[in-house]
Amino acid sequence: DDADGLASLLGRRQRLAAWFSAEGRRLEETPETLAVVDDLLDGWAMDPEIGPRLVNEVGLFLGCVMVRVVAGARWRIWPNGHPVVRLHGGQEYDVVVLVEQRLHDNGPGLMEVLGDATRRGRS
């Protein structure tokens, strides 16, 4: 139940920060940066070096932004070791799967996911 320690561990995104830096930008856990990451996703997915690692890296980043900006959001680890974001009301977001859906199945954009979590976090 060490929420701060878990957030710190899941917040290590050196690869994503390096990819973002190569675009001339600084990675910050903000909605504005999340929007830029979402815009870059499709291009990164085509890169043979970045593509295979993209879903996990961006999923954890999405989760970190959610935990930072959505009231009552916390990281939770399922018994199988998979990280999800849980809201105060019990709603869980499998952030890695959401990024995979965004890339491969025309799922919601990252800002849509954040907006949904923000609305649910207020209730």
Side-chain angles (χ1 to χ4, degrees), residues 26-96:
R26 184 168 175 258
L27 190 67
E28 298 174 343
E29 291 179 355
T30 65
E32 295 79 16
T33 301
L34 184 65
V36 175
V37 168
D38 197 16
D39 288 342
L40 295 170
L41 271 181
D42 294 317
W44 282 345
M46 308 272 269
D47 185 301
E49 294 294 318
I50 296 173
R53 297 180 176 101
L54 189 60
V55 171
N56 286 330
E57 290 283 323
V58 175
L60 294 178
F61 179 67
L62 170 60
C64 287
V65 173
M66 290 171 72
V67 167
R68 180 175 293 272
V69 303
V70 176
R74 289 274 203 235
W75 281 109
R76 180 172 182 267
I77 302 296
W78 284 344
N80 67 359
H82 191 77
V84 297
V85 173
R86 183 181 182 119
L87 301 185
H88 178 70
Q91 173 76 29
E92 291 185 338
Y93 289 81
D94 187 336
V95 290
V96 172

Short mmCIF file of all heavy atoms in Angstrom, two decimals, residues 26-96:
data_model
loop_
_atom_site.label_atom_id
_atom_site.label_comp_id
_atom_site.label_asym_id
_atom_site.label_seq_id
_atom_site.Cartn_x
_atom_site.Cartn_y
_atom_site.Cartn_z
N ARG A 26 10.22 18.50 -23.77
CA ARG A 26 10.51 18.00 -22.42
C ARG A 26 9.27 17.27 -21.91
O ARG A 26 8.16 17.81 -21.95
CB ARG A 26 10.85 19.16 -21.50
CG ARG A 26 11.25 18.72 -20.12
CD ARG A 26 11.86 19.89 -19.34
NE ARG A 26 12.10 19.46 -18.00
CZ ARG A 26 11.34 19.77 -16.96
NH1 ARG A 26 10.28 20.54 -17.13
NH2 ARG A 26 11.62 19.34 -15.76
N LEU A 27 9.45 16.04 -21.43
CA LEU A 27 8.35 15.23 -20.94
C LEU A 27 7.95 15.68 -19.54
O LEU A 27 8.76 15.69 -18.62
CB LEU A 27 8.76 13.75 -20.91
CG LEU A 27 7.66 12.75 -20.65
CD1 LEU A 27 6.68 12.72 -21.82
CD2 LEU A 27 8.25 11.36 -20.42
N GLU A 28 6.69 16.09 -19.41
CA GLU A 28 6.14 16.50 -18.11
C GLU A 28 4.81 15.80 -17.92
O GLU A 28 4.09 15.54 -18.88
CB GLU A 28 5.94 18.02 -18.08
CG GLU A 28 7.23 18.80 -18.23
CD GLU A 28 6.99 20.29 -18.33
OE1 GLU A 28 5.84 20.72 -18.59
OE2 GLU A 28 7.97 21.03 -18.16
N GLU A 29 4.48 15.49 -16.68
CA GLU A 29 3.22 14.79 -16.38
C GLU A 29 2.06 15.79 -16.35
O GLU A 29 1.49 16.07 -15.32
CB GLU A 29 3.33 14.05 -15.06
CG GLU A 29 4.28 12.87 -15.12
CD GLU A 29 4.42 12.14 -13.81
OE1 GLU A 29 3.85 12.59 -12.77
OE2 GLU A 29 5.11 11.13 -13.79
N THR A 30 1.73 16.30 -17.54
CA THR A 30 0.66 17.27 -17.67
C THR A 30 -0.28 16.85 -18.80
O THR A 30 0.14 16.13 -19.73
CB THR A 30 1.21 18.68 -18.01
OG1 THR A 30 1.82 18.62 -19.32
CG2 THR A 30 2.21 19.16 -16.97
N PRO A 31 -1.52 17.32 -18.76
CA PRO A 31 -2.43 17.04 -19.87
C PRO A 31 -1.90 17.59 -21.20
O PRO A 31 -2.10 16.97 -22.25
CB PRO A 31 -3.73 17.74 -19.45
CG PRO A 31 -3.68 17.74 -17.96
CD PRO A 31 -2.22 17.96 -17.64
N GLU A 32 -1.24 18.72 -21.17
CA GLU A 32 -0.71 19.31 -22.40
C GLU A 32 0.33 18.39 -23.05
O GLU A 32 0.32 18.18 -24.26
CB GLU A 32 -0.10 20.69 -22.11
CG GLU A 32 -1.09 21.73 -21.66
CD GLU A 32 -1.50 21.61 -20.17
OE1 GLU A 32 -0.80 20.94 -19.39
OE2 GLU A 32 -2.55 22.18 -19.81
N THR A 33 1.22 17.84 -22.24
CA THR A 33 2.22 16.91 -22.77
C THR A 33 1.56 15.63 -23.24
O THR A 33 1.94 15.07 -24.27
CB THR A 33 3.30 16.61 -21.70
OG1 THR A 33 3.92 17.84 -21.31
CG2 THR A 33 4.35 15.67 -22.23
N LEU A 34 0.55 15.16 -22.51
CA LEU A 34 -0.17 13.96 -22.92
C LEU A 34 -0.79 14.15 -24.31
O LEU A 34 -0.75 13.23 -25.14
CB LEU A 34 -1.26 13.62 -21.90
CG LEU A 34 -2.03 12.33 -22.14
CD1 LEU A 34 -1.11 11.11 -22.04
CD2 LEU A 34 -3.18 12.22 -21.15
N ALA A 35 -1.32 15.33 -24.58
CA ALA A 35 -1.90 15.62 -25.90
C ALA A 35 -0.84 15.54 -27.00
O ALA A 35 -1.09 14.99 -28.08
CB ALA A 35 -2.57 17.00 -25.89
N VAL A 36 0.36 16.03 -26.72
CA VAL A 36 1.44 15.97 -27.71
C VAL A 36 1.87 14.52 -27.92
O VAL A 36 2.09 14.09 -29.06
CB VAL A 36 2.63 16.85 -27.28
CG1 VAL A 36 3.80 16.69 -28.24
CG2 VAL A 36 2.21 18.32 -27.19
N VAL A 37 1.99 13.76 -26.83
CA VAL A 37 2.34 12.34 -26.95
C VAL A 37 1.31 11.62 -27.82
O VAL A 37 1.66 10.84 -28.70
CB VAL A 37 2.47 11.69 -25.55
CG1 VAL A 37 2.54 10.17 -25.66
CG2 VAL A 37 3.70 12.22 -24.82
N ASP A 38 0.03 11.91 -27.60
CA ASP A 38 -1.02 11.29 -28.41
C ASP A 38 -0.84 11.62 -29.88
O ASP A 38 -1.01 10.75 -30.75
CB ASP A 38 -2.39 11.75 -27.90
CG ASP A 38 -3.53 10.86 -28.39
OD1 ASP A 38 -3.27 9.73 -28.86
OD2 ASP A 38 -4.68 11.29 -28.29
N ASP A 39 -0.47 12.85 -30.19
CA ASP A 39 -0.25 13.26 -31.57
C ASP A 39 0.94 12.52 -32.21
O ASP A 39 0.95 12.28 -33.41
CB ASP A 39 0.00 14.76 -31.67
CG ASP A 39 -1.26 15.58 -31.43
OD1 ASP A 39 -2.38 15.02 -31.52
OD2 ASP A 39 -1.12 16.78 -31.14
N LEU A 40 1.93 12.17 -31.39
CA LEU A 40 3.14 11.53 -31.90
C LEU A 40 3.03 10.00 -31.98
O LEU A 40 3.86 9.34 -32.61
CB LEU A 40 4.34 11.89 -31.01
CG LEU A 40 4.74 13.36 -31.00
CD1 LEU A 40 5.76 13.63 -29.89
CD2 LEU A 40 5.30 13.77 -32.35
N LEU A 41 2.01 9.44 -31.37
CA LEU A 41 1.89 7.98 -31.24
C LEU A 41 1.97 7.24 -32.57
O LEU A 41 2.70 6.26 -32.69
CB LEU A 41 0.57 7.60 -30.56
CG LEU A 41 0.57 7.51 -29.05
CD1 LEU A 41 -0.82 7.11 -28.56
CD2 LEU A 41 1.61 6.57 -28.53
N ASP A 42 1.19 7.65 -33.52
CA ASP A 42 1.14 6.90 -34.78
C ASP A 42 2.48 6.87 -35.50
O ASP A 42 2.89 5.83 -36.02
CB ASP A 42 0.04 7.46 -35.69
CG ASP A 42 -1.34 7.25 -35.09
OD1 ASP A 42 -1.61 6.15 -34.57
OD2 ASP A 42 -2.16 8.19 -35.12
N GLY A 43 3.17 7.99 -35.51
CA GLY A 43 4.50 8.02 -36.11
C GLY A 43 5.50 7.16 -35.36
O GLY A 43 6.28 6.42 -35.97
N TRP A 44 5.46 7.24 -34.04
CA TRP A 44 6.35 6.42 -33.23
C TRP A 44 6.07 4.93 -33.43
O TRP A 44 6.99 4.11 -33.43
CB TRP A 44 6.20 6.76 -31.75
CG TRP A 44 6.90 8.00 -31.32
CD1 TRP A 44 7.86 8.70 -31.98
CD2 TRP A 44 6.70 8.69 -30.09
NE1 TRP A 44 8.27 9.78 -31.24
CE2 TRP A 44 7.57 9.80 -30.08
CE3 TRP A 44 5.86 8.49 -29.00
CZ2 TRP A 44 7.64 10.68 -29.01
CZ3 TRP A 44 5.93 9.38 -27.93
CH2 TRP A 44 6.81 10.46 -27.94
N ALA A 45 4.81 4.57 -33.58
CA ALA A 45 4.45 3.16 -33.74
C ALA A 45 5.08 2.56 -35.00
O ALA A 45 5.33 1.36 -35.05
CB ALA A 45 2.93 3.01 -33.79
N MET A 46 5.35 3.37 -36.00
CA MET A 46 5.95 2.90 -37.25
C MET A 46 7.47 2.73 -37.14
O MET A 46 8.07 2.07 -37.97
CB MET A 46 5.64 3.89 -38.38
CG MET A 46 4.18 4.22 -38.51
SD MET A 46 3.31 3.11 -39.54
CE MET A 46 3.49 3.93 -41.10
N ASP A 47 8.07 3.32 -36.11
CA ASP A 47 9.52 3.25 -35.92
C ASP A 47 9.89 1.86 -35.38
O ASP A 47 9.38 1.45 -34.34
CB ASP A 47 9.95 4.34 -34.94
CG ASP A 47 11.45 4.42 -34.78
OD1 ASP A 47 12.07 3.42 -34.38
OD2 ASP A 47 12.02 5.50 -35.03
N PRO A 48 10.81 1.14 -36.05
CA PRO A 48 11.15 -0.21 -35.60
C PRO A 48 11.83 -0.27 -34.22
O PRO A 48 11.77 -1.29 -33.54
CB PRO A 48 12.08 -0.74 -36.69
CG PRO A 48 12.54 0.45 -37.45
CD PRO A 48 11.51 1.52 -37.27
N GLU A 49 12.45 0.82 -33.81
CA GLU A 49 13.08 0.85 -32.48
C GLU A 49 12.08 1.21 -31.39
O GLU A 49 12.12 0.66 -30.29
CB GLU A 49 14.22 1.88 -32.47
CG GLU A 49 15.38 1.52 -33.36
CD GLU A 49 16.12 0.28 -32.89
OE1 GLU A 49 16.34 0.14 -31.67
OE2 GLU A 49 16.45 -0.55 -33.74
N ILE A 50 11.20 2.13 -31.67
CA ILE A 50 10.26 2.63 -30.67
C ILE A 50 9.00 1.76 -30.60
O ILE A 50 8.51 1.44 -29.51
CB ILE A 50 9.88 4.09 -30.98
CG1 ILE A 50 11.11 5.00 -30.86
CG2 ILE A 50 8.76 4.57 -30.07
CD1 ILE A 50 10.87 6.42 -31.30
N GLY A 51 8.47 1.38 -31.75
CA GLY A 51 7.19 0.69 -31.83
C GLY A 51 6.97 -0.44 -30.85
O GLY A 51 5.95 -0.48 -30.15
N PRO A 52 7.91 -1.39 -30.73
CA PRO A 52 7.69 -2.53 -29.83
C PRO A 52 7.59 -2.16 -28.35
O PRO A 52 7.02 -2.91 -27.57
CB PRO A 52 8.90 -3.42 -30.08
CG PRO A 52 9.42 -3.03 -31.42
CD PRO A 52 9.11 -1.57 -31.56
N ARG A 53 8.11 -1.02 -27.97
CA ARG A 53 8.10 -0.62 -26.56
C ARG A 53 7.05 0.45 -26.25
O ARG A 53 6.85 0.82 -25.11
CB ARG A 53 9.48 -0.06 -26.19
CG ARG A 53 10.57 -1.08 -26.32
CD ARG A 53 11.89 -0.45 -25.94
NE ARG A 53 12.95 -1.43 -25.96
CZ ARG A 53 13.82 -1.56 -26.95
NH1 ARG A 53 13.76 -0.77 -27.99
NH2 ARG A 53 14.76 -2.48 -26.89
N LEU A 54 6.40 0.91 -27.26
CA LEU A 54 5.55 2.08 -27.17
C LEU A 54 4.35 1.91 -26.23
O LEU A 54 4.09 2.77 -25.39
CB LEU A 54 5.07 2.46 -28.57
CG LEU A 54 4.33 3.77 -28.71
CD1 LEU A 54 5.21 4.93 -28.26
CD2 LEU A 54 3.92 3.97 -30.16
N VAL A 55 3.63 0.82 -26.34
CA VAL A 55 2.39 0.64 -25.60
C VAL A 55 2.64 0.71 -24.09
O VAL A 55 1.94 1.44 -23.37
CB VAL A 55 1.69 -0.67 -26.00
CG1 VAL A 55 0.52 -0.98 -25.08
CG2 VAL A 55 1.21 -0.59 -27.44
N ASN A 56 3.63 -0.02 -23.60
CA ASN A 56 3.90 0.01 -22.16
C ASN A 56 4.38 1.38 -21.69
O ASN A 56 3.93 1.88 -20.66
CB ASN A 56 4.93 -1.06 -21.78
CG ASN A 56 4.34 -2.44 -21.80
OD1 ASN A 56 3.16 -2.63 -21.54
ND2 ASN A 56 5.16 -3.42 -22.12
N GLU A 57 5.30 1.97 -22.43
CA GLU A 57 5.85 3.27 -22.04
C GLU A 57 4.76 4.34 -21.97
O GLU A 57 4.65 5.08 -21.00
CB GLU A 57 6.94 3.72 -23.01
CG GLU A 57 8.21 2.91 -22.96
CD GLU A 57 9.08 3.25 -21.76
OE1 GLU A 57 9.17 4.42 -21.37
OE2 GLU A 57 9.70 2.32 -21.23
N VAL A 58 3.95 4.41 -23.01
CA VAL A 58 2.91 5.43 -23.06
C VAL A 58 1.78 5.09 -22.09
O VAL A 58 1.20 5.98 -21.47
CB VAL A 58 2.40 5.64 -24.50
CG1 VAL A 58 1.23 6.61 -24.54
CG2 VAL A 58 3.54 6.17 -25.38
N GLY A 59 1.47 3.82 -21.93
CA GLY A 59 0.45 3.43 -20.96
C GLY A 59 0.80 3.87 -19.55
O GLY A 59 -0.04 4.42 -18.83
N LEU A 60 2.04 3.65 -19.16
CA LEU A 60 2.46 4.08 -17.82
C LEU A 60 2.46 5.60 -17.71
O LEU A 60 2.11 6.15 -16.66
CB LEU A 60 3.82 3.50 -17.48
CG LEU A 60 3.85 1.97 -17.31
CD1 LEU A 60 5.26 1.50 -17.02
CD2 LEU A 60 2.89 1.52 -16.24
N PHE A 61 2.83 6.28 -18.80
CA PHE A 61 2.78 7.74 -18.77
C PHE A 61 1.35 8.24 -18.62
O PHE A 61 1.07 9.12 -17.81
CB PHE A 61 3.42 8.32 -20.04
CG PHE A 61 3.38 9.82 -20.08
CD1 PHE A 61 4.11 10.57 -19.18
CD2 PHE A 61 2.60 10.48 -21.01
CE1 PHE A 61 4.07 11.96 -19.19
CE2 PHE A 61 2.55 11.86 -21.04
CZ PHE A 61 3.29 12.60 -20.13
N LEU A 62 0.43 7.66 -19.39
CA LEU A 62 -0.99 8.01 -19.26
C LEU A 62 -1.44 7.82 -17.81
O LEU A 62 -2.09 8.69 -17.23
CB LEU A 62 -1.84 7.15 -20.20
CG LEU A 62 -3.35 7.21 -20.03
CD1 LEU A 62 -3.88 8.62 -20.24
CD2 LEU A 62 -4.02 6.21 -20.98
N GLY A 63 -1.08 6.71 -17.22
CA GLY A 63 -1.44 6.45 -15.82
C GLY A 63 -0.87 7.47 -14.87
O GLY A 63 -1.55 7.94 -13.95
N CYS A 64 0.38 7.85 -15.08
CA CYS A 64 1.01 8.85 -14.21
C CYS A 64 0.31 10.20 -14.30
O CYS A 64 0.11 10.87 -13.29
CB CYS A 64 2.49 8.98 -14.54
SG CYS A 64 3.49 7.59 -14.01
N VAL A 65 -0.07 10.59 -15.52
CA VAL A 65 -0.81 11.85 -15.68
C VAL A 65 -2.16 11.75 -14.98
O VAL A 65 -2.57 12.67 -14.27
CB VAL A 65 -0.97 12.22 -17.17
CG1 VAL A 65 -1.88 13.44 -17.34
CG2 VAL A 65 0.39 12.49 -17.81
N MET A 66 -2.83 10.62 -15.13
CA MET A 66 -4.13 10.44 -14.48
C MET A 66 -3.99 10.54 -12.96
O MET A 66 -4.77 11.23 -12.30
CB MET A 66 -4.74 9.08 -14.87
CG MET A 66 -5.20 9.03 -16.31
SD MET A 66 -5.69 7.37 -16.84
CE MET A 66 -7.24 7.19 -15.95
N VAL A 67 -3.00 9.87 -12.40
CA VAL A 67 -2.79 9.90 -10.95
C VAL A 67 -2.48 11.31 -10.47
O VAL A 67 -2.90 11.73 -9.41
CB VAL A 67 -1.69 8.89 -10.55
CG1 VAL A 67 -1.22 9.10 -9.13
CG2 VAL A 67 -2.20 7.46 -10.74
N ARG A 68 -1.76 12.06 -11.29
CA ARG A 68 -1.39 13.43 -10.91
C ARG A 68 -2.57 14.40 -10.98
O ARG A 68 -2.69 15.28 -10.13
CB ARG A 68 -0.28 13.94 -11.81
CG ARG A 68 0.17 15.36 -11.47
CD ARG A 68 1.35 15.79 -12.28
NE ARG A 68 2.54 15.04 -11.95
CZ ARG A 68 3.41 15.37 -10.99
NH1 ARG A 68 3.19 16.42 -10.26
NH2 ARG A 68 4.47 14.64 -10.79
N VAL A 69 -3.45 14.26 -11.98
CA VAL A 69 -4.46 15.30 -12.19
C VAL A 69 -5.90 14.92 -11.86
O VAL A 69 -6.73 15.80 -11.73
CB VAL A 69 -4.40 15.87 -13.64
CG1 VAL A 69 -3.02 16.41 -13.96
CG2 VAL A 69 -4.84 14.86 -14.66
N VAL A 70 -6.18 13.64 -11.73
CA VAL A 70 -7.56 13.21 -11.46
C VAL A 70 -7.74 13.00 -9.95
O VAL A 70 -7.02 12.21 -9.34
CB VAL A 70 -7.91 11.91 -12.22
CG1 VAL A 70 -9.31 11.44 -11.85
CG2 VAL A 70 -7.78 12.13 -13.72
N ALA A 71 -8.69 13.70 -9.39
CA ALA A 71 -8.95 13.60 -7.95
C ALA A 71 -9.23 12.16 -7.55
O ALA A 71 -10.07 11.49 -8.15
CB ALA A 71 -10.14 14.48 -7.57
N GLY A 72 -8.50 11.67 -6.57
CA GLY A 72 -8.73 10.33 -6.02
C GLY A 72 -8.13 9.19 -6.82
O GLY A 72 -8.28 8.03 -6.44
N ALA A 73 -7.43 9.47 -7.92
CA ALA A 73 -6.83 8.41 -8.73
C ALA A 73 -5.57 7.88 -8.06
O ALA A 73 -4.78 8.65 -7.54
CB ALA A 73 -6.51 8.93 -10.13
N ARG A 74 -5.42 6.56 -8.10
CA ARG A 74 -4.26 5.89 -7.51
C ARG A 74 -3.85 4.70 -8.37
O ARG A 74 -4.69 4.08 -9.02
CB ARG A 74 -4.62 5.33 -6.13
CG ARG A 74 -4.80 6.35 -5.07
CD ARG A 74 -3.45 6.63 -4.51
NE ARG A 74 -3.50 7.16 -3.16
CZ ARG A 74 -2.92 8.27 -2.85
NH1 ARG A 74 -2.29 8.98 -3.73
NH2 ARG A 74 -2.94 8.70 -1.61
N TRP A 75 -2.58 4.37 -8.33
CA TRP A 75 -2.12 3.16 -8.97
C TRP A 75 -2.58 1.96 -8.15
O TRP A 75 -2.61 2.02 -6.92
CB TRP A 75 -0.60 3.12 -9.06
CG TRP A 75 -0.02 3.94 -10.16
CD1 TRP A 75 0.66 5.10 -10.03
CD2 TRP A 75 -0.07 3.66 -11.56
NE1 TRP A 75 1.05 5.57 -11.26
CE2 TRP A 75 0.61 4.70 -12.22
CE3 TRP A 75 -0.62 2.63 -12.32
CZ2 TRP A 75 0.76 4.73 -13.61
CZ3 TRP A 75 -0.48 2.66 -13.70
CH2 TRP A 75 0.20 3.71 -14.33
N ARG A 76 -2.90 0.88 -8.84
CA ARG A 76 -3.23 -0.39 -8.20
C ARG A 76 -2.57 -1.48 -9.03
O ARG A 76 -2.55 -1.40 -10.26
CB ARG A 76 -4.74 -0.59 -8.17
CG ARG A 76 -5.16 -1.88 -7.53
CD ARG A 76 -6.69 -1.93 -7.37
NE ARG A 76 -7.07 -3.15 -6.71
CZ ARG A 76 -7.41 -4.27 -7.33
NH1 ARG A 76 -7.42 -4.33 -8.64
NH2 ARG A 76 -7.75 -5.34 -6.65
N ILE A 77 -2.04 -2.47 -8.36
CA ILE A 77 -1.44 -3.59 -9.06
C ILE A 77 -2.35 -4.81 -8.90
O ILE A 77 -2.67 -5.20 -7.78
CB ILE A 77 -0.03 -3.92 -8.50
CG1 ILE A 77 0.89 -2.70 -8.60
CG2 ILE A 77 0.58 -5.11 -9.23
CD1 ILE A 77 1.19 -2.24 -10.00
N TRP A 78 -2.76 -5.37 -10.03
CA TRP A 78 -3.58 -6.58 -9.99
C TRP A 78 -2.71 -7.74 -9.49
O TRP A 78 -1.48 -7.68 -9.57
CB TRP A 78 -4.11 -6.90 -11.37
CG TRP A 78 -5.25 -6.03 -11.81
CD1 TRP A 78 -6.03 -5.22 -11.04
CD2 TRP A 78 -5.74 -5.89 -13.14
NE1 TRP A 78 -6.97 -4.58 -11.81
CE2 TRP A 78 -6.82 -4.98 -13.10
CE3 TRP A 78 -5.38 -6.44 -14.36
CZ2 TRP A 78 -7.54 -4.62 -14.24
CZ3 TRP A 78 -6.10 -6.09 -15.49
CH2 TRP A 78 -7.17 -5.19 -15.42
N PRO A 79 -3.31 -8.82 -9.01
CA PRO A 79 -2.54 -9.97 -8.52
C PRO A 79 -1.55 -10.53 -9.55
O PRO A 79 -0.52 -11.08 -9.17
CB PRO A 79 -3.62 -11.01 -8.18
CG PRO A 79 -4.82 -10.19 -7.84
CD PRO A 79 -4.75 -8.99 -8.77
N ASN A 80 -1.83 -10.36 -10.84
CA ASN A 80 -0.90 -10.85 -11.87
C ASN A 80 0.24 -9.86 -12.14
O ASN A 80 1.04 -10.08 -13.04
CB ASN A 80 -1.66 -11.16 -13.16
CG ASN A 80 -2.23 -9.93 -13.84
OD1 ASN A 80 -2.10 -8.81 -13.36
ND2 ASN A 80 -2.90 -10.15 -14.97
N GLY A 81 0.30 -8.76 -11.39
CA GLY A 81 1.37 -7.79 -11.54
C GLY A 81 1.08 -6.66 -12.52
O GLY A 81 1.93 -5.80 -12.74
N HIS A 82 -0.08 -6.63 -13.10
CA HIS A 82 -0.44 -5.63 -14.11
C HIS A 82 -0.90 -4.33 -13.43
O HIS A 82 -1.78 -4.36 -12.58
CB HIS A 82 -1.56 -6.19 -14.99
CG HIS A 82 -1.84 -5.38 -16.19
ND1 HIS A 82 -1.04 -5.41 -17.31
CD2 HIS A 82 -2.83 -4.50 -16.46
CE1 HIS A 82 -1.54 -4.59 -18.22
NE2 HIS A 82 -2.61 -4.03 -17.73
N PRO A 83 -0.31 -3.18 -13.81
CA PRO A 83 -0.70 -1.90 -13.19
C PRO A 83 -1.94 -1.30 -13.85
O PRO A 83 -2.09 -1.32 -15.07
CB PRO A 83 0.52 -1.01 -13.44
CG PRO A 83 1.09 -1.54 -14.72
CD PRO A 83 0.82 -3.03 -14.72
N VAL A 84 -2.84 -0.80 -13.03
CA VAL A 84 -4.03 -0.09 -13.50
C VAL A 84 -4.19 1.16 -12.63
O VAL A 84 -3.61 1.25 -11.55
CB VAL A 84 -5.31 -0.95 -13.43
CG1 VAL A 84 -5.20 -2.17 -14.33
CG2 VAL A 84 -5.62 -1.36 -12.01
N VAL A 85 -4.98 2.10 -13.11
CA VAL A 85 -5.31 3.28 -12.32
C VAL A 85 -6.73 3.10 -11.80
O VAL A 85 -7.65 2.81 -12.57
CB VAL A 85 -5.19 4.58 -13.15
CG1 VAL A 85 -5.71 5.77 -12.36
CG2 VAL A 85 -3.75 4.80 -13.58
N ARG A 86 -6.86 3.27 -10.51
CA ARG A 86 -8.17 3.12 -9.87
C ARG A 86 -8.64 4.47 -9.36
O ARG A 86 -7.90 5.18 -8.69
CB ARG A 86 -8.08 2.12 -8.72
CG ARG A 86 -9.41 1.86 -8.07
CD ARG A 86 -9.27 0.90 -6.92
NE ARG A 86 -10.58 0.65 -6.37
CZ ARG A 86 -11.16 -0.52 -6.32
NH1 ARG A 86 -10.54 -1.58 -6.78
NH2 ARG A 86 -12.35 -0.66 -5.80
N LEU A 87 -9.89 4.81 -9.67
CA LEU A 87 -10.47 6.05 -9.19
C LEU A 87 -11.11 5.83 -7.83
O LEU A 87 -11.39 4.69 -7.43
CB LEU A 87 -11.51 6.57 -10.17
CG LEU A 87 -11.03 6.86 -11.59
CD1 LEU A 87 -12.15 7.49 -12.40
CD2 LEU A 87 -9.80 7.72 -11.60
N HIS A 88 -11.39 6.91 -7.16
CA HIS A 88 -12.01 6.87 -5.83
C HIS A 88 -13.29 6.04 -5.82
O HIS A 88 -13.55 5.28 -4.90
CB HIS A 88 -12.29 8.30 -5.35
CG HIS A 88 -12.97 8.37 -4.03
ND1 HIS A 88 -12.34 8.03 -2.87
CD2 HIS A 88 -14.24 8.72 -3.70
CE1 HIS A 88 -13.19 8.18 -1.85
NE2 HIS A 88 -14.34 8.59 -2.33
N GLY A 89 -14.10 6.12 -6.87
CA GLY A 89 -15.36 5.39 -6.95
C GLY A 89 -15.22 3.93 -7.32
O GLY A 89 -16.21 3.21 -7.41
N GLY A 90 -14.00 3.46 -7.58
CA GLY A 90 -13.78 2.06 -7.89
C GLY A 90 -13.54 1.75 -9.36
O GLY A 90 -13.11 0.65 -9.70
N GLN A 91 -13.83 2.68 -10.25
CA GLN A 91 -13.57 2.48 -11.69
C GLN A 91 -12.08 2.27 -11.91
O GLN A 91 -11.26 3.00 -11.37
CB GLN A 91 -14.05 3.72 -12.47
CG GLN A 91 -13.69 3.73 -13.93
CD GLN A 91 -14.56 2.82 -14.76
OE1 GLN A 91 -15.71 2.58 -14.41
NE2 GLN A 91 -14.01 2.30 -15.83
N GLU A 92 -11.72 1.26 -12.69
CA GLU A 92 -10.32 0.99 -13.00
C GLU A 92 -10.05 1.20 -14.49
O GLU A 92 -10.88 0.86 -15.33
CB GLU A 92 -9.94 -0.43 -12.60
CG GLU A 92 -9.91 -0.62 -11.11
CD GLU A 92 -9.41 -1.98 -10.67
OE1 GLU A 92 -9.47 -2.93 -11.47
OE2 GLU A 92 -8.97 -2.09 -9.53
N TYR A 93 -8.89 1.75 -14.76
CA TYR A 93 -8.44 2.01 -16.13
C TYR A 93 -7.17 1.19 -16.38
O TYR A 93 -6.15 1.44 -15.75
CB TYR A 93 -8.13 3.49 -16.34
CG TYR A 93 -9.35 4.36 -16.37
CD1 TYR A 93 -9.97 4.77 -15.20
CD2 TYR A 93 -9.89 4.77 -17.59
CE1 TYR A 93 -11.10 5.57 -15.24
CE2 TYR A 93 -11.02 5.57 -17.63
CZ TYR A 93 -11.62 5.96 -16.45
OH TYR A 93 -12.74 6.76 -16.49
N ASP A 94 -7.28 0.25 -17.29
CA ASP A 94 -6.11 -0.52 -17.71
C ASP A 94 -5.40 0.32 -18.76
O ASP A 94 -5.70 0.23 -19.96
CB ASP A 94 -6.55 -1.87 -18.26
CG ASP A 94 -5.38 -2.78 -18.56
OD1 ASP A 94 -4.27 -2.28 -18.77
OD2 ASP A 94 -5.59 -4.00 -18.59
N VAL A 95 -4.50 1.16 -18.31
CA VAL A 95 -3.91 2.18 -19.18
C VAL A 95 -3.09 1.59 -20.31
O VAL A 95 -3.05 2.15 -21.41
CB VAL A 95 -3.10 3.20 -18.35
CG1 VAL A 95 -4.03 4.07 -17.51
CG2 VAL A 95 -2.06 2.53 -17.46
N VAL A 96 -2.45 0.46 -20.08
CA VAL A 96 -1.67 -0.17 -21.15
C VAL A 96 -2.60 -0.67 -22.25
O VAL A 96 -2.37 -0.44 -23.44
CB VAL A 96 -0.78 -1.30 -20.58
CG1 VAL A 96 -0.11 -2.08 -21.70
CG2 VAL A 96 0.27 -0.73 -19.62
#
